[in-house]
């Protein structure tokens, strides 16, 4: 299977046991640090070997999941194990409830099979070590062997299935961590996928609900429960399409300035951003800037300059308009006065000086009017 860059980057990021523990602490314990990263161990991508049953033997089995880790949640003489599975998902998968159900079913079925193999292997080892196997055992004694130093009599069901009454399965918790910027609009349970919605019929069909973490559906308070850089990744994805909110977040949240390199790569891969970063003496010493935000600031400065220049141009235009209006008003007044001077000279026989004097034209302007008469 060819993996996309998004899948490769997110898988690499989730291999960090601190991040892996963080996401499951968020899911199960509301962010409280219960799962200890130091107690997590990564299982091989091809096979796993986990102790089952009282004998403690383990056998490998093909793995069907993206990434599996085992957590010793409670420790006692027999040791109980919690199997945690993570399904990386950057795009909405519209059959996810069925996919997760198949994964978990395969894990539980594999546990039952491995328990049977574990018991068979333990019986063979005991036989070889103690030489207590009865030769020529008849069918009545075929189901007997020593377990933890005691001889165990198997029931017919235990003998046939290899799974003992006291055996217990390790819980399988599957989490869908949605790295996509779009809201998850797929089904979250098996019942949502069924064509029949008869309530009486649905009562007989076990529902299967997925555990989903999707940043677009989370509040800032919920995202704030993450203790690792997953908090910054989820916040960035949540506001990836809201540039103003994202800009305000990046400028006010100092944790973005110390975000680790893998987290920055995840953001680049899943949001299409162009975070530029340089690595200092340590990988955690990451300085970075986002091209879109930088470009937006440049655009804002340019826009501000354009606004200032437009305002200056409009002011000059308004001044020119006022000057033109004043010139037109002056020309209009002069034309009106020339008309009045002509009328007085024609009707009353006055001289030009007499007419201008009667019209209160200043002596300094009389020469100008005399030239235009």
């Amino acid at each position: 299977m060819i993996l996309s860059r998004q899948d490769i980057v997110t898988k690499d990021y989730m291999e960090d046991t601190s991040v892996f523990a963080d996401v499951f602490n968020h899911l199960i314990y509301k962010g409280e640090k219960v799962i200890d990263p130091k107690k997590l161990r990564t299982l091989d991508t091809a096979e796993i070997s986990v102790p089952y049953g009282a004998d403690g033997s383990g056998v490998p089995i093909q793995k069907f999941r993206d990434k599996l880790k085992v957590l010793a949640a409670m420790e006692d003489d027999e040791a109980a194990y919690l199997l945690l599975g993570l399904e990386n998902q950057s795009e909405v998968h519209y059959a996810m409830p069925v996919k997760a159900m198949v994964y978990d079913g395969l894990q539980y079925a594999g546990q039952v099979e491995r328990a049977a193999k574990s018991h068979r292997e333990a019986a063979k080892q005991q036989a070889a070590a103690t030489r207590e196997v009865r030769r020529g055992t008849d069918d009545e004694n075929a189901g007997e062997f020593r377990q933890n130093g005691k001889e165990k009599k198997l029931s017919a069901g235990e003998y046939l299935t290899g799974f003992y009454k006291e055996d217990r399965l390790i819980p399988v918790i599957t989490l869908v961590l949605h790295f996509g910027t779009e809201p998850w609009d797929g089904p979250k349970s098996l019942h949502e996928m069924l064509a029949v919605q008869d309530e009486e019929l649905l009562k007989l069909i076990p529902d299967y609900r997925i555990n989903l973490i999707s940043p677009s559906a989370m509040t800032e308070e919920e995202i704030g429960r993450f203790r690792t850089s997953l908090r910054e990744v989820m916040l960035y994805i949540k506001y990836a399409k809201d540039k103003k909110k994202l800009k305000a977040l990046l400028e006010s949240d100092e944790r973005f300035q110390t975000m680790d390199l893998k987290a920055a790569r995840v953001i680049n891969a899943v949001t299409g951003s162009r975070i530029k970063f340089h690595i200092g003496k340590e990988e955690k010493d990451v300085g970075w800037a986002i091209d879109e935000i930088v470009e937006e600031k440049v655009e804002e400065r340019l826009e501000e300059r354009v606004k200032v220049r437009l305002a200056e141009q409009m002011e000059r235009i308004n001044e020119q308009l006022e000057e033109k209006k004043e010139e037109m008003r002056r020309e209009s007044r002069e034309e009106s006065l020339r008309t009045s001077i002509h009328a007085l000279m024609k009707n009353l026989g006055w001289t030009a000086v007499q007419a201008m004097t009667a019209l209160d034209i200043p002596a300094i302007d009389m020469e100008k009017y005399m030239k235009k008469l």
Side-chain angles (χ1 to χ4, degrees):
M1 180 178 65
I2 300 176
L3 298 178
S4 68
R5 181 172 179 272
Q6 287 186 359
D7 292 331
I8 293 173
V9 170
T10 55
K11 283 175 181 290
D12 181 56
Y13 181 59
M14 294 311 302
E15 284 180 354
D16 186 327
T17 53
S18 295
V19 177
F20 192 95
D22 191 22
V23 71
F24 276 98
N25 276 326
H26 188 285
L27 172 71
I28 304 171
Y29 303 109
K30 307 300 181 185
E32 184 179 350
K33 295 179 70 173
V34 177
I35 300 174
D36 186 355
K38 296 178 181 179
K39 292 184 178 180
L40 287 171
R41 64 183 180 88
T42 303
L43 299 178
D44 187 79
T45 56
E47 59 180 26
I48 59 175
S49 181
V50 183
Y52 296 89
D55 51 57
S57 299
V59 293
I61 186 172
Q62 183 69 28
K63 191 175 81 65
F64 297 95
R65 308 176 70 96
D66 286 349
K67 179 64 61 181
L68 290 176
K69 292 175 184 282
V70 173
L71 165 68
M74 295 180 62
E75 297 182 355
D76 54 25
D77 292 340
E78 297 185 0
Y81 291 85
L82 178 64
L83 184 62
L84 304 179
L86 179 68
E87 180 73 25
N88 290 319
Q89 198 74 31
S90 58
E91 300 294 337
V92 176
H93 193 299
Y94 293 100
M96 183 53 72
V98 172
K99 184 178 181 180
M101 181 173 62
V102 170
Y103 279 169
D104 289 352
L106 287 172
Q107 286 299 318
Y108 286 125
Q111 288 185 39
V112 171
E113 178 60 26
R114 290 194 295 276
K117 289 183 179 180
S118 173
H119 293 314
R120 289 196 294 270
E121 290 294 327
K124 290 179 182 179
Q125 292 172 8
Q126 289 175 9
T130 63
R131 306 295 183 184
E132 293 181 356
V133 176
R134 298 188 184 92
R135 298 182 182 278
T137 304
D138 57 21
D139 292 339
E140 290 183 354
N141 297 322
E144 296 182 5
F145 78 94
R146 292 184 179 275
Q147 183 180 47
N148 290 340
K150 298 180 181 179
E151 191 169 283
K152 176 176 176 61
K153 176 71 174 180
L154 301 181
S155 68
E158 290 176 319
Y159 181 70
L160 289 173
T161 64
F163 193 80
Y164 298 171
K165 183 178 180 180
E166 61 269 21
D167 287 341
R168 292 295 179 268
L169 300 177
I170 297 173
V172 179
I173 301 175
T174 297
L175 168 64
V176 178
L177 183 57
H178 181 221
F179 282 106
T181 57
E182 295 294 334
W184 180 277
D185 62 352
K188 299 177 183 178
S189 70
L190 178 63
H191 280 192
E192 292 179 49
M193 298 180 63
L194 299 179
V196 178
Q197 293 299 316
D198 187 320
E199 292 295 333
E200 298 302 316
L201 184 61
L202 291 176
K203 289 179 181 178
L204 303 176
I205 303 173
D207 199 3
Y208 191 91
R209 303 189 66 84
I210 63 173
N211 298 309
L212 175 68
I213 290 182
S214 181
S216 63
M218 301 172 71
T219 64
E220 287 191 16
E221 181 181 358
E222 290 172 331
I223 295 178
R225 294 172 188 163
F226 290 114
R227 297 173 181 266
T228 65
S229 60
L230 191 59
R231 168 187 173 273
E232 288 77 73
V233 172
M234 294 289 103
L235 279 173
Y236 194 103
I237 294 173
K238 178 178 178 65
Y239 296 117
K241 295 188 175 182
D242 187 342
K243 297 300 182 183
K244 289 185 178 179
K245 179 66 177 179
L246 184 60
K247 175 189 171 185
L249 179 68
L250 296 177
E251 291 177 346
S252 63
D253 194 329
E254 295 182 356
R255 283 182 56 171
F256 277 95
Q257 300 304 321
T258 58
M259 185 172 59
D260 62 83
L261 184 60
K262 288 186 177 181
R265 285 173 175 162
V266 170
I267 289 175
N268 276 350
V270 302
T271 67
S273 296
R274 299 189 299 277
I275 296 179
K276 292 182 177 179
F277 40 80
H278 64 271
I279 304 175
K281 294 181 180 179
E282 298 181 4
E283 184 171 321
K284 291 183 179 179
D285 182 19
V286 179
W288 57 280
I290 303 173
D291 282 0
E292 290 94 332
I293 302 300
V294 173
E295 290 172 1
E296 189 172 301
K297 290 182 178 179
V298 172
E299 290 177 359
E300 288 179 356
R301 288 196 294 268
L302 289 174
E303 185 178 350
E304 185 64 28
R305 290 178 183 177
V306 169
K307 287 181 179 179
V308 171
R309 290 181 180 177
L310 285 175
E312 292 174 349
Q313 290 177 359
M314 288 301 297
E315 186 176 356
R316 286 196 296 270
I317 291 172
N318 287 332
E319 289 176 354
Q320 291 173 356
L321 286 174
E322 286 299 323
E323 291 175 358
K324 188 66 175 176
K325 288 179 181 178
E326 181 60 30
E327 182 181 351
M328 292 174 65
R329 286 195 292 268
R330 186 171 60 253
E331 290 177 351
S332 178
R333 286 197 301 271
E334 289 177 356
E335 182 63 30
S336 177
L337 285 173
R338 282 197 300 272
T339 302
S340 299
I341 292 170
H342 279 292
L344 290 173
M345 290 172 64
K346 180 181 179 180
N347 295 329
L348 300 179
W350 288 358
T351 65
V353 174
Q354 289 175 322
M356 288 187 283
T357 301
L359 293 171
D360 293 327
I361 296 175
I364 193 173
D365 293 334
M366 288 185 180
E367 185 178 353
K368 176 180 65 176
Y369 284 100
M370 288 290 291
K371 290 179 180 180
K372 297 181 179 180
L373 291 176

